[in-house]
Amino acid sequence: MSKDRAGSAEFLGLRDIAAHAGVSHMTVSRVIRRPETVAEPTRQRVLAAIEALGYVPNLAARDLVRGSSSFVCMVVSSLQNVFFAATVEGLVRGLDPLGLQVMLGDAGFSAEREARLVRGFVARRPAGVVLMGTDHAPETVRLLSRSRAPVVETWDLTRAPIGACVGFDNVAVGRLAARHFRAIGARRAVVLGRSTPRNRKRIAGFLAEAKEVGLAHARHVELADGHALRVGREALAGLLDQAADDRPDALFFVSDTLAIGALLEATRRGVAVPQEVAILGFGDHPLGPELTPSLSTITAPLEEMGHEAARLIAGALAGEDIRGRVFDLGLSLIARESTARAG
Amino acid sequence: MSKDRAGSAEFLGLRDIAAHAGVSHMTVSRVIRRPETVAEPTRQRVLAAIEALGYVPNLAARDLVRGSSSFVCMVVSSLQNVFFAATVEGLVRGLDPLGLQVMLGDAGFSAEREARLVRGFVARRPAGVVLMGTDHAPETVRLLSRSRAPVVETWDLTRAPIGACVGFDNVAVGRLAARHFRAIGARRAVVLGRSTPRNRKRIAGFLAEAKEVGLAHARHVELADGHALRVGREALAGLLDQAADDRPDALFFVSDTLAIGALLEATRRGVAVPQEVAILGFGDHPLGPELTPSLSTITAPLEEMGHEAARLIAGALAGEDIRGRVFDLGLSLIARESTARAG
DNA sequence: TTGAAAGCGCTAACAA
DNA sequence: TTGTTAGCGCTTTCAA
């Protein structure tokens, strides 16, 4: 239980450096924050002292005075998901040149957990908060509305963002998929995914568009939670085991990972893709173009989304009012072999 | 540049709650930290005030007094890498029940960038610091040694850790691969990977063991930086284009992502795996078992590593001296189809 | 069980 | 250009 251990030096403060350099602590503070306001010889002496003593400022004190910190908090739905990781990376890279760091929380697709994380974040007076999705617990919204931190929601669009919103239209994702299936002449189109808030939009969009363009037999297959590759694989297996006359000929998975699982299973079973069944995913997984057949997919600029969130937060920090701004980053359909003329 | 905006309430302090509840601010502070030390009726009144006013404490002030914060900083080599993500997830999950959050930095495989991140982290007086790897800039080591925060290095082992170390033996990874190739009767074994510090160990281990077990023609092929799937694919293509008598029959890639790229390329080219060439990776990528042929791999408990790091930091926070502790979490070889009796 | 006083290490405002 | 003073919102210590 020994707390004082040899070798673990205590932290020095501004005043220690000041004493060593023969100036006041304010001069040291200035050298750190606005060196151009300090005379050259003085500055040199202070810098030498900082170097000699290995001084590292305590940002908690600065944060306390300023009432806000220099990091941005982000809640992700899952850290293991490569698609989310791309957005996180975009944010981290966009914030780095501004000297802002990122504090990450993993909500595991639970709005309650998200609220807990946000509460912890708000207690740190973050310079900004980035969320995934636009469906949040009332407490999350309340906490963030009261906080002064700029908030950016991502991965979806909403008419009433908490702060700003940079995302894409998940209903349009589903519609785009259905239109694509229509274009390749699919008869029995299916959308497969677990009913999370975002997925629900993709599913609804798919079913609505399918109806409108005359894909009469379109339906939704609910998927279980779990490891996406296996879930996708099992989903395909389940569909193939159905009576032949009810067998779908076009599958839209709400995520590429699911689609890849299905594609691999189809290959294994000798089911021809896209001839017997077309497969479409979402997210443009790096593996998609490498597979045989290559995977068609719908995607949004995932990394760019994080980058744009960083830009918005930077703007807010510079005094802009970003509230109410909603950016639709758009979608693209990448048609590869897995949906090449199914019918 | 307007700073005061309608609707964005200022934060309340302990004293505002105290005034509302008719107690001193100290009582409010106690209700938050040690409610059992406050009389029931008083506590109820205070809790009601907290609730009514939507009070969220300012942790920067607490951190300042205590000289240490309640988050753990982690530097990862890359956020997009699923293998690293597993360790991050383990850390986040292990820390969550302790009320500790994780601040992430992406070093992008640069020791300099790592040092910059660590400097920023140390300035926040973190409750702990987790690093990937055991090769760091001298400045990183200096900063962390002076800081009081417990440090845990991961993903490798070292005799002289900065604090504690939870990892696996990267030299043993290479040795295990070479032994496996020997066991399946490989003749011309190759290890492929970019020479990062960790990879260098795997490569050296592979070459050393290969020599010892009589794999005379073992050699290393340097890989470029870039998207791993493509790099792996191109590496395989390059080897196959070589004169047939120099063609390797067993490939150990330092990462599964590379190996998957190679495996897919082999399939595409009609090269039989493992008959013509055996392929082995590292990391147990979720896709490995789903491929045809399924991918053999060597792996360490990646998520467990993060979990163990969390446990060590928790121990340190409870007063344990964790410095000098080194844990080897061990390796396992998962032999699947891609290395089934090559020779 | 509660409160008063002191101060954590910084920054903002003002003075010299 | 540099220094002095007064806190930021908490927690620690000590007193009541």
Side-chain angles (χ1 to χ4, degrees), chain A residues 109 194 223-232 234 257-258:
Chain A
F109 291 100
R194 196 158 70 93
L223 297 184
D225 194 6
H227 183 25
L229 282 170
R230 182 167 39 241
V231 170
E234 287 167 0
T257 319
L258 296 162

Side-chain angles (χ1 to χ4, degrees), chain B:
Chain B
M1 286 289 197
S2 75
K3 284 194 172 177
D4 287 315
R5 305 184 298 217
S8 59
E10 287 302 306
F11 283 107
L12 299 167
L14 234 30
R15 290 184 163 84
D16 299 297
I17 309 306
H20 192 270
V23 295
S24 82
H25 74 280
M26 264 315 297
T27 301
V28 180
S29 176
R30 286 193 185 100
V31 168
I32 292 167
R33 288 174 301 121
R34 324 181 67 241
E36 72 281 7
T37 66
V38 178
E40 178 65 20
T42 318
R43 184 171 53 207
Q44 290 309 329
R45 231 166 347 122
V46 171
L47 286 173
I50 288 176
E51 179 65 26
L53 301 182
Y55 170 67
V56 179
N58 184 338
L59 292 185
R62 174 184 295 179
D63 291 352
L64 179 57
V65 174
R66 299 224 240 230
S68 123
S69 68
S70 59
F71 51 78
V72 170
C73 297
M74 177 167 195
V75 184
V76 299
S77 308
S78 159
L79 284 172
Q80 301 243 27
N81 184 306
V82 288
F83 309 112
F84 298 156
T87 303
V88 174
E89 184 116 19
L91 182 75
V92 171
R93 293 213 178 142
L95 253 20
D96 189 68
L98 303 167
L100 293 171
Q101 296 188 320
V102 176
M103 184 169 241
L104 272 189
D106 184 335
F109 291 99
S110 149
E112 269 175 47
R113 240 184 92 62
E114 180 181 72
R116 279 213 306 120
L117 286 167
V118 166
R119 171 170 284 279
F121 286 161
V122 169
R124 298 231 158 69
R125 310 295 189 256
V129 176
V130 179
L131 301 176
M132 271 193 176
T134 56
D135 290 82
H136 314 287
E139 158 138 47
T140 301
V141 178
R142 220 195 58 230
L143 282 166
L144 291 174
S145 305
R146 291 201 180 189
S147 123
R148 261 201 327 287
V151 177
V152 183
E153 288 165 278
T154 62
W155 272 75
D156 204 353
L157 298 176
T158 173
R159 299 243 185 87
I162 302 172
C165 179
V166 199
F168 54 89
D169 182 347
N170 282 284
V171 175
V173 169
R175 289 191 174 273
L176 189 50
R179 276 205 300 282
H180 183 54
F181 281 171
R182 169 68 184 169
I184 63 172
R187 300 279 167 77
R188 296 174 178 278
V190 174
V191 54
L192 303 96
R194 195 157 69 93
S195 295
T196 64
R198 262 197 305 282
N199 288 347
R200 249 191 286 273
K201 294 190 182 182
R202 295 181 201 164
I203 294 162
F206 183 88
L207 296 176
E209 184 77 18
K211 198 166 186 180
E212 290 172 25
V213 299
L215 284 170
H217 299 278
R219 66 180 215 271
H220 167 227
V221 171
E222 179 70 23
L223 297 184
D225 195 4
H227 182 26
L229 282 171
R230 181 167 40 240
V231 171
R233 188 152 55 68
E234 288 168 359
L236 187 98
L239 288 175
L240 291 183
D241 291 343
Q242 292 185 356
D245 62 336
D246 194 35
R247 200 181 271 183
D249 62 356
L251 307 179
F252 171 51
F253 288 91
V254 296
S255 152
D256 265 11
T257 319
L258 296 162
I260 289 170
L263 190 55
L264 292 172
E265 179 67 12
T267 308
R268 188 175 306 180
R269 289 188 169 225
V271 174
V273 177
Q275 294 78 8
E276 293 181 61
V277 59
I279 295 179
L280 178 65
F282 176 84
D284 196 19
H285 191 289
L287 203 69
E290 310 294 338
L291 296 170
T292 311
S294 56
L295 179 67
S296 294
T297 192
I298 292 172
T299 194
L302 306 182
E303 184 158 351
E304 175 59 22
M305 211 153 49
H307 220 270
E308 184 60 31
R311 228 170 286 144
L312 278 165
I313 287 170
L317 262 28
E320 277 176 51
D321 187 352
I322 62 167
R323 288 174 307 167
R325 291 202 205 162
V326 177
F327 298 88
D328 183 345
L329 262 37
L331 299 170
S332 38
L333 172 78
I334 304 177
R336 299 201 185 98
E337 296 163 359
S338 71
T339 59
R341 53 185 65 266

